[in-house]
Amino acid sequence: MYIWKYVKSELSSDEVLDYKESEINQKRENVYLFFRLPLSLEKFMLYGFLQCADSFLYICSLLPLRILTFLLKILKNPFKFFKRDLESSRIIDLTKLFLILMCYFLLTFIDTSMVYHIIRGQAIIKLYIFFNMLEVADRLLSTIGQDIMDAMYCTVTETKRSSLLAARHLFIALTYMFCHSIVFLCLSTTLNVAFNSHNNALLTIMMSNNFVELKGSVFKKFDKNNVFQMSCSDVKERFQYLILLLIVFIRNMAEFEWQIDQLFEFFPIMFTIFVFEFFIDWVKHAFVLKFNDIPTEVFNDFKLSLAYEMLESRKKREHFDFQSHSYGFIPIPLFCLLFRVCTQSIKLNNSLAYINIALGFVG
């Protein structure tokens, strides 16, 4: 009897949504957020990516030109420079050049073929674990590397500096850069092994790593500062993946003597990896913003904040790497590895090749 009364009441009841207008708008915003976020996020990502690219390209473009103009001024009037102390900017430039050359020199002693075959002999599950361990090592080294580089820059530019103290910090900085370059070498080699496997292990490693990152982020409590740090970390991650995949591309193309057919094999995989990378970033940021009631306009604030910091650092003529503090990106170790791979894989057989490189540098 009671069952029939319950069924009758349920059939005859009318559902009334008693929501205020503000609550209705909020529920709509929770849905619209998923559609508006990709554009807002990608604008911020593109801006950060270009800043990282600017920092990376500075090493192979403006830095050599600054040192060259400085050396020409010395040759023009050497007594003028020996009578006074060098400017801090010149000391920083020469220090960076010294570290790059020394790190490259140390990398020449690493047998990349042996590293490749050691990693190739491991099972797929070991590659996945090894790749995640290397990513953790990269983040830890990036964090400590900021302090090491800042301390080194401060020490070598001190007015009353000790030569022994400066040499000590140079040695520490060189050790850090070499260790970080080795981590990047192992990362690129792992990706290369996965790319050359016959079961699409590269896609498996990259996609599974993205889903682990998604699982570890969306259900945590975030404020705006945490979202900013996470977004900057994603910017650095995208740029580093691009350079690492470029290294994989160079090594594979050199192996097949730069045959055009290999392009059609490599680019679809690279495109798929970045599509998943973009998609995971969209989903991750969308749920983080939804669960923490943060509007998508926050990415415009992040972009303006980074632009303001960059302008202020240039006005103050600060010689520290701006991107290392904002994104946790230190370009020198990654550049040293790319330079080492290029010199090993790209052979210059005639003077025309050198002319092309010079024209590309000037362009």
Side-chain angles (χ1 to χ4, degrees):
M1 191 68 180
Y2 292 105
I3 294 176
W4 289 111
K5 286 183 178 180
Y6 172 75
V7 173
K8 184 178 179 180
S9 64
E10 288 294 322
L11 292 174
S12 59
S13 63
D14 295 327
E15 284 193 24
V16 178
L17 297 177
D18 188 15
Y19 290 126
K20 297 179 181 179
E21 185 178 355
S22 60
E23 293 176 337
I24 295 175
N25 292 333
Q26 181 60 40
K27 291 184 179 298
R28 289 171 180 164
E29 287 297 319
N30 290 339
V31 177
Y32 298 156
L33 179 143
F34 287 88
F35 297 98
R36 286 202 301 263
L37 179 127
L39 181 60
S40 301
L41 177 62
E42 289 308 317
K43 286 181 179 178
F44 171 79
M45 288 287 187
L46 177 61
Y47 180 77
F49 185 90
L50 292 176
Q51 281 195 336
C52 290
D54 175 67
S55 176
F56 189 81
L57 295 175
Y58 171 86
I59 300 174
C60 59
S61 58
L62 290 179
L63 180 62
L65 291 177
R66 284 172 60 88
I67 294 175
L68 181 61
T69 54
F70 173 65
L71 294 177
L72 291 176
K73 288 181 180 179
I74 291 180
L75 294 176
K76 185 177 180 181
N77 193 353
F79 298 101
K80 178 181 177 181
F81 288 91
F82 286 115
K83 289 180 181 180
R84 65 177 185 179
D85 294 332
L86 293 177
E87 298 176 358
S88 59
S89 61
R90 303 303 183 184
I91 297 175
I92 293 294
D93 291 340
L94 293 173
T95 303
K96 286 182 177 180
L97 178 63
F98 171 77
L99 291 174
I100 290 170
L101 294 178
M102 288 302 299
C103 185
Y104 172 80
F105 175 72
L106 293 175
L107 285 174
T108 57
F109 291 97
I110 304 297
D111 189 350
T112 55
S113 299
M114 183 185 68
V115 175
Y116 177 84
H117 287 289
I118 290 175
I119 296 178
R120 187 181 180 182
Q122 310 302 317
I124 296 299
I125 187 64
K126 289 185 179 180
L127 286 181
Y128 172 72
I129 297 173
F130 188 53
F131 186 80
N132 281 273
M133 290 173 58
L134 290 171
E135 282 205 324
V136 173
D138 169 45
R139 294 177 183 178
L140 294 177
L141 286 172
S142 296
T143 302
I144 190 64
Q146 297 173 25
D147 298 328
I148 290 175
M149 299 302 287
D150 289 350
M152 187 267 297
Y153 291 148
C154 291
T155 303
V156 298
T157 55
E158 274 186 320
T159 306
K160 298 180 180 179
R161 59 180 176 273
S162 168
S163 300
L164 182 60
L165 185 62
R168 182 192 307 168
H169 279 274
L170 278 172
F171 176 76
I172 295 173
L174 179 61
T175 304
Y176 151 72
M177 287 177 53
F178 179 68
C179 292
H180 207 166
S181 297
I182 293 298
V183 169
F184 283 131
L185 173 63
C186 293
L187 273 170
S188 64
T189 306
T190 304
L191 293 177
N192 196 16
V193 169
F195 173 76
N196 290 321
S197 64
H198 299 290
N199 52 0
N200 291 328
L202 178 59
L203 291 176
T204 304
I205 289 176
M206 300 294 286
M207 287 189 294
S208 59
N209 191 56
N210 286 332
F211 280 106
V212 168
E213 180 184 354
L214 178 63
K215 177 184 176 183
S217 300
V218 295
F219 300 112
K220 291 182 179 179
K221 185 67 177 177
F222 281 84
D223 56 18
K224 287 186 178 181
N225 185 51
N226 297 131
V227 175
F228 176 71
Q229 296 297 328
M230 182 179 68
S231 303
C232 290
S233 177
D234 288 339
V235 170
K236 181 197 77 168
E237 184 180 87
R238 281 192 188 182
F239 186 81
Q240 287 187 172
Y241 277 162
L242 179 65
I243 300 300
L244 291 174
L245 290 173
L246 176 62
I247 292 173
V248 173
F249 171 74
I250 292 174
R251 296 181 69 173
N252 279 276
M253 290 299 290
E255 185 70 22
F256 290 96
E257 298 180 352
W258 300 92
Q259 297 177 5
I260 302 299
D261 296 340
Q262 293 300 313
L263 291 175
F264 299 102
E265 181 180 349
F266 182 81
F267 281 136
I269 297 177
M270 185 175 179
F271 177 76
T272 306
I273 288 172
F274 275 99
V275 166
F276 272 94
E277 182 73 24
F278 281 36
F279 177 74
I280 293 298
D281 284 343
W282 295 345
V283 174
K284 178 178 67 177
H285 284 83
F287 278 102
V288 166
L289 296 188
K290 177 184 180 298
F291 291 151
N292 296 278
D293 296 324
I294 301 175
T296 56
E297 289 75 14
V298 72
F299 292 109
N300 293 329
D301 299 335
F302 294 163
K303 189 166 59 175
L304 290 174
S305 175
L306 289 172
Y308 178 78
E309 288 181 16
M310 184 184 67
L311 290 175
E312 286 296 312
S313 65
R314 292 194 174 185
K315 285 181 181 178
K316 296 177 182 178
R317 297 185 179 275
E318 294 179 350
H319 305 295
F320 307 114
D321 291 324
F322 164 74
Q323 285 78 3
S324 66
H325 294 276
S326 301
Y327 303 101
F329 174 62
I330 302 176
I332 296 180
L334 191 57
F335 173 80
C336 291
L337 176 62
L338 180 61
F339 187 43
R340 170 73 178 104
V341 171
C342 288
T343 55
Q344 183 182 26
S345 303
I346 302 175
K347 305 300 181 182
L348 303 177
N349 299 321
N350 50 50
S351 59
L352 183 60
Y354 292 97
I355 294 174
N356 288 331
I357 291 178
L359 291 175
F361 179 80
V362 173

